């Protein structure tokens, strides 16, 4: 994903609640590995199990 587009996505992601963060993480296409990692770094650690369940 282009940098400008990803920056816009990150702003939306950071402001989102946990369910919407999971939706963004699971449905956004064309992200690089680094971009996925950046999303994970901004995911609440206390909710990581919820993300794991969705990804399983």
């Amino acid at each position: 994903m282009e940098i400008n587009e990803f920056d816009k996505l990150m702003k939306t992601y950071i402001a989102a609640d946990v369910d919407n963060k999971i939706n963004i993480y699971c449905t956004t296409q064309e992200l690089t590995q680094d971009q996925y990692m950046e999303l994970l770094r901004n995911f609440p650690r206390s909710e990581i199990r919820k993300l794991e369940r969705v990804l399983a």
Side-chain angles (χ1 to χ4, degrees), residues 5-51:
E5 189 177 357
F6 183 71
D7 288 342
K8 184 177 176 182
L9 176 71
M10 275 301 294
K11 288 179 184 176
T12 301
Y13 182 83
I14 289 169
D17 63 18
V18 171
D19 289 333
N20 284 324
K21 282 182 187 339
I22 291 171
N23 185 50
I24 291 168
Y25 187 86
C26 293
T27 62
T28 303
Q29 298 181 10
E30 300 182 21
L31 293 173
T32 66
Q33 183 176 357
D34 289 338
Q35 290 169 336
Y36 275 115
M37 291 304 295
E38 186 67 24
L39 292 177
L40 278 177
R41 282 186 206 101
N42 287 281
F43 193 83
R45 291 181 187 252
S46 62
E47 299 290 340
I48 201 75
R49 294 270 189 229
K50 190 172 187 177
L51 177 61

